[in-house]
């Protein structure tokens, strides 16, 4: 049984400082020193999970193996640590309250007034400790969403205060702040950091380590000032300078000794060895590509890059394995039409049609698939992107003129994509899709099989609609092969085109499983196909 240590990561001054990347980088470093680590995100909003949030609100919704719809930071945790997360790794205020209120209704608190302290804070602490309970982890890193001082983060900071008090040296707090550079004054300013630490102190929490996000290096005087004003040792003032890639951050944190500081603060013996070579090799290849390709990412949430975060990262991983830089040209599917398509897709080496919901921008997606299919440009369709590929093939090859998904047109004469039987009765929108990992059997004659090099794979899902099996025969006969099947329910998971150098559509989300240590085989294969296309091989 391990003596699990709990590390909290809070944020001050402003949001978007990159707490998720700092948490993931710390996890990577501790792992590299031989410790087992898991990372958790506590989100202070009232939604029970981010599954019902528009991607414009909160970026991509990340799906775990066990089918939890979670915050996109969990994607960073998995990509950095290569350890799968689960529902327990993302908890919102909504989920905490839902649990406590349900217990109240069941009569568990009979006779007592249910209050934020202790009932809500106890539930927060229980959710944090749950991850450490089975003794699997040396460290549980818990990131608190939002910024200290926000009304909604109060119960979380209070829960940290109590855990610190209960656990002593088995618990440490890292506070991430911003040290802005004022160009008019020509200097870095520590005041916002001082204020945000004061806000924490008002709530009874003294941070052990302060990580300072900055665009300029911190000199000794600045470090000294922060240490003095915020009651931390000077070695506990860690610089987090802007990096060209998020994958540089673990190395920058290693140089700043963030991991050592955490080990010291938690009185954990410091191992002499650190095994970070694989990560450094990845970085070297990332920074020294031999090739470069451009992929068009066609979707309707392109204004916010975070909406396609995992796809973006999977291209980096798949690119590195091919020593290739992948430039992503984001194309708004609503603005794509027959007139401008040649101009908008000019010079791309591949086209990816993104996942999504609803009919907005669907015509542009279908048009770009026709373009990829007829011009033999490498094509990758993910979830809705795969469904659109099926619609396009139905309309233009099988001549099923108004072929559609019943998600967009319930009256279509050819429902080539239809709602899954067990989804028809569902009324609640939250957490009710086909979610999480399911096995998929691959046809040994397929391109997918050649890439995976396995006949049974497991991939994560998030959808309500599926390929309509009534059309399976006709599609296979005409050259769109259904090469990946979920055996238990005979659902189509992968389609491929025979007469095309690389045309693959998948009902699942391969992007969720791509990590630095294990780039996803389909992304690796897609990038390779784009290099071939680019070089006219
Ligand atoms: N809207 C489609 C469905 O529910 C596709 C979902 C997705 O792309 N994640 O089946």
């Amino acid at each position: 049984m391990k003596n699990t240590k709990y590390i909290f990561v809070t944020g001050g001054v402003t949001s978007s400082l990159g707490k998720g990347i700092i948490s993931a980088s710390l996890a990577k470093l501790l792992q590299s020193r031989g410790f087992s680590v898991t990372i958790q995100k506590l989100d202070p909003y009232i939604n029970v999970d981010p599954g019902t949030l528009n991607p414009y609100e909160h970026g991509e919704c990340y799906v775990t193996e066990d089918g939890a719809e979670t915050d996109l930071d969990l994607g960073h945790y998995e990509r950095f640590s290569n350890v799968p997360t689960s529902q327990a790794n993302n908890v919102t205020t909504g989920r905490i309250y839902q649990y406590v209120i349900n217990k109240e209704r069941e009569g568990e608190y009979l006779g007592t007034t249910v209050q934020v302290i202790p009932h809500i804070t106890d539930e927060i602490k229980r959710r944090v400790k749950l991850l450490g309970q089975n003794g699997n982890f040396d460290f549980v890193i818990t990131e608190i969403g939002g910024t200290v001082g926000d009304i909604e983060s109060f119960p979380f900071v209070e829960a940290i205060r109590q855990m610190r008090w209960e656990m002593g040296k088995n618990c440490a707090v890292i506070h991430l702040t911003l040290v802005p550079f004022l160009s008019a004054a020509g200097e870095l300013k520590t005041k916002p950091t001082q204020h945000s630490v004061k806000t924490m102190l008002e709530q009874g929490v003294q941070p052990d380590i302060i990580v300072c996000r900055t665009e300029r290096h911190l000199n000794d005087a600045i470090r000294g000032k922060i240490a003095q004003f915020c009651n931390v040792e000077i070695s506990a003032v860690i610089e987090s300078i802007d990096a060209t890639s998020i994958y540089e951050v673990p190395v920058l944190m290693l140089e700043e000794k963030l991991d050592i500081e955490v080990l010291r603060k938690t009185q954990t013996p410091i191992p002499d060895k650190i095994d970070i070579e694989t990560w450094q090799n990845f970085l070297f290849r990332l920074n020294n590509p031999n090739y470069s390709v451009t992929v068009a990412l066609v979707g309707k949430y392109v204004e916010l890059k975070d909406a396609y975060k995992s796809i973006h990262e999977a291209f980096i991983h798949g690119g590195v394995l091919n020593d290739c830089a992948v430039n992503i040209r984001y194309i708004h599917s609503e603005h794509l039409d027959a007139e401008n398509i040649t101009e908008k897709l000019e010079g791309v080496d591949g086209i990816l049609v993104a996942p999504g919901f609803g009919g907005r921008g669907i015509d542009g997606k279908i048009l770009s698939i026709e373009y990829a299919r007829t011009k033999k440009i490498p094509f990758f369709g993910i979830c809705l992107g795969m469904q659109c590929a099926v619609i396009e093939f139905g309309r233009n090859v099988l001549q099923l003129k108004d072929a559609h998904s019943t998600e967009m047109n319930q009256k279509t004469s050819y429902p080539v994509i239809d709602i899954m039987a067990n989804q028809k009765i569902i009324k609640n929108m939250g957490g009710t899709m086909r979610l999480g990992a399911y096995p998929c059997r691959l046809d040994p004659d397929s391109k997918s099989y050649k890439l995976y090099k396995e006949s049974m794979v497991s991939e994560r899902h998030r959808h309500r609609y599926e390929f309509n099996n009534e059309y399976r025969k006709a599609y296979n006969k005409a050259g769109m092969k259904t090469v990946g099947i979920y055996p238990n329910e005979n659902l189509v998971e992968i389609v491929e085109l025979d007469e095309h150098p690389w045309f693959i559509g998948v009902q699942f989300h391969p992007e969720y499983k791509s990590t630095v240590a294990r780039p996803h085989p389909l992304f690796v294969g897609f990038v390779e196909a784009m290099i071939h296309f680019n070089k006219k091989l």
Side-chain angles (χ1 to χ4, degrees):
M1 193 78 174
K2 294 179 193 290
N3 173 24
T4 307
K5 316 264 163 112
Y6 294 86
I7 312 299
F8 291 97
V9 179
T10 60
V13 184
T14 163
S15 57
S16 306
L17 290 181
K19 287 193 297 280
I21 301 296
I22 291 293
S23 305
S25 300
L26 173 62
K28 182 75 237 164
L29 293 180
L30 292 173
Q31 250 185 357
S32 310
R33 290 195 186 272
F35 297 103
S36 55
V37 188
T38 188
I39 323 180
Q40 176 186 46
K41 172 99 189 257
L42 301 183
D43 274 311
Y45 52 73
I46 313 288
N47 302 62
V48 172
D49 63 42
T52 52
L53 286 176
N54 185 322
Y56 289 126
E57 284 281 325
H58 211 70
E60 167 189 275
C61 171
Y62 184 78
V63 179
T64 57
E65 289 289 296
D66 63 347
E69 295 176 286
T70 70
D71 186 82
L72 57 76
D73 273 331
L74 270 77
H76 292 309
Y77 305 164
E78 290 202 13
R79 287 187 280 273
F80 277 53
S81 70
N82 202 37
V83 177
T85 54
S86 71
Q87 179 64 73
N89 296 74
N90 190 199
V91 181
T92 68
T93 293
R95 193 171 288 278
I96 304 255
Y97 270 81
Q98 189 184 51
Y99 184 84
V100 170
I101 291 170
N102 285 344
K103 261 175 74 171
E104 187 273 334
R105 292 290 80 187
E106 285 161 15
E108 287 221 19
Y109 306 109
L110 270 190
T112 34
T113 312
V114 181
Q115 294 183 296
V116 174
I117 306 170
H119 301 99
I120 295 298
T121 46
D122 277 355
E123 181 53 20
I124 295 173
K125 289 194 293 180
R126 190 183 71 84
R127 300 272 179 164
V128 174
K129 290 179 194 162
L130 209 60
L131 285 173
Q133 236 160 41
N134 54 14
N136 286 346
F137 298 108
D138 297 303
F139 287 92
V140 174
I141 301 174
T142 300
E143 175 194 346
I144 313 290
T147 311
V148 293
D150 294 349
I151 289 179
E152 33 186 40
S153 37
F154 264 70
F156 293 98
V157 180
E158 170 59 16
I160 298 178
R161 187 193 66 77
Q162 294 180 19
M163 276 189 69
R164 284 286 304 275
W165 186 72
E166 288 163 23
M167 296 191 157
K169 290 292 176 195
N170 281 341
C171 187
V173 178
I174 300 175
H175 188 55
L176 176 63
T177 71
L178 177 70
V179 178
F181 179 75
L182 283 198
S183 44
E187 51 181 43
L188 289 165
K189 291 292 183 190
T190 65
K191 194 66 89 187
T193 300
Q194 297 176 35
H195 277 297
S196 104
V197 171
K198 286 223 168 74
T199 306
M200 287 196 76
L201 288 170
E202 277 166 21
Q203 294 177 50
V205 178
Q206 164 68 56
D208 298 287
I209 298 171
I210 299 185
V211 177
C212 306
R213 185 69 194 271
T214 174
E215 46 183 275
R216 305 276 174 117
H217 286 293
L218 306 181
N219 59 28
D220 287 347
I222 294 275
R223 286 179 196 257
K225 202 167 165 186
I226 293 172
Q228 191 181 33
F229 277 96
C230 304
N231 323 316
V232 295
E233 290 171 272
I234 198 154
S235 61
V237 178
I238 306 286
E239 168 192 288
S240 170
I241 194 130
D242 289 356
T244 43
S245 153
I246 55 171
Y247 299 105
E248 306 271 359
V249 180
V251 177
L252 293 173
M253 289 305 108
L254 178 67
E255 282 163 15
E256 284 287 306
K257 302 193 171 59
L258 174 63
D259 53 334
I260 301 282
E261 211 53 40
V262 166
L263 294 171
R264 264 173 19 98
K265 292 284 178 296
T266 53
Q267 293 182 343
T268 314
I270 302 170
D272 331 318
K273 277 217 191 83
I274 178 155
D275 180 9
I276 193 94
E277 216 172 295
T278 325
W279 191 273
Q280 274 160 335
N281 284 343
F282 174 87
L283 265 187
F284 180 82
R285 289 176 78 174
L286 175 67
N287 293 330
N288 298 281
N290 293 331
Y291 313 103
S292 157
V293 294
T294 301
V295 63
L297 193 158
V298 182
K300 67 173 172 181
Y301 307 116
V302 291
E303 296 92 337
L304 184 76
K305 305 285 178 288
D306 271 1
Y308 301 114
K309 194 81 203 164
S310 294
I311 294 178
H312 179 272
E313 302 308 313
F315 272 126
I316 295 181
H317 309 154
V320 165
L321 225 72
N322 285 288
D323 294 304
C324 178
V326 181
N327 308 305
I328 303 181
R329 187 187 300 171
Y330 288 91
I331 296 184
H332 202 309
S333 53
E334 259 188 309
H335 305 157
L336 200 60
D337 57 36
E339 303 272 277
N340 63 22
I341 188 159
T342 319
E343 179 201 332
K344 291 215 177 209
L345 295 178
E346 170 77 45
V348 301
D349 304 303
I351 297 173
L352 182 143
V353 175
F357 294 84
R360 189 164 64 86
I362 204 87
D363 294 337
K365 291 183 179 172
I366 294 172
L367 210 58
S368 66
I369 295 167
E370 182 182 6
Y371 191 87
R373 181 176 58 79
T374 53
K375 299 208 178 319
K376 305 238 185 288
I377 302 171
F379 168 79
F380 198 6
I382 298 183
C383 207
L384 182 62
M386 170 267 197
Q387 297 177 353
C388 288
V390 172
I391 295 166
E392 192 279 327
F393 194 84
R395 288 183 187 177
N396 298 330
V397 179
L398 295 173
Q399 302 300 319
L400 310 172
K401 276 306 162 211
D402 74 334
H404 221 321
S405 161
T406 50
E407 182 181 3
M408 327 301 165
N409 176 7
Q410 296 204 343
K411 298 205 173 70
T412 170
S413 333
Y414 306 106
V416 292
I417 302 291
D418 200 5
I419 188 145
M420 281 179 271
N422 51 10
Q423 285 285 331
K424 284 185 186 153
I425 40 163
I426 286 172
K427 294 261 173 337
N428 266 357
M429 294 306 275
T432 55
M433 281 186 258
R434 179 174 179 241
L435 288 164
Y438 287 92
C440 168
R441 193 183 50 228
L442 301 176
D443 181 338
D445 276 338
S446 62
K447 285 193 192 77
S448 302
Y449 175 82
K450 288 190 186 82
L451 292 166
Y452 278 105
K453 300 185 180 70
E454 279 177 275
S455 52
M456 274 307 248
V457 297
S458 168
E459 292 285 0
R460 300 183 197 172
H461 299 72
R462 185 173 187 244
H463 66 120
R464 290 187 206 281
Y465 295 80
E466 58 164 329
F467 187 106
N468 183 342
N469 276 336
E470 282 183 26
Y471 294 91
R472 206 145 123 187
K473 234 190 198 146
Y475 272 77
N476 277 289
K477 204 161 154 231
M480 181 171 268
K481 296 284 164 66
T482 51
V483 300
I485 304 292
Y486 168 51
N488 302 23
E489 289 180 44
N490 197 21
L491 298 183
V492 173
E493 300 279 16
I494 310 180
V495 296
E496 287 184 8
L497 278 189
D498 263 352
E499 303 293 314
H500 194 286
W502 211 97
F503 189 107
I504 297 182
V506 292
Q507 184 57 79
F508 47 80
H509 292 263
E511 70 276 22
Y512 294 146
K513 282 190 73 169
S514 190
T515 69
V516 166
R518 291 195 344 174
H520 195 285
L522 293 180
F523 276 90
V524 175
F526 185 43
V527 174
E528 190 188 10
M530 289 195 281
I531 297 173
H532 281 249
F533 182 86
N534 181 277
K535 296 205 291 190
K536 312 257 173 320
L537 291 174

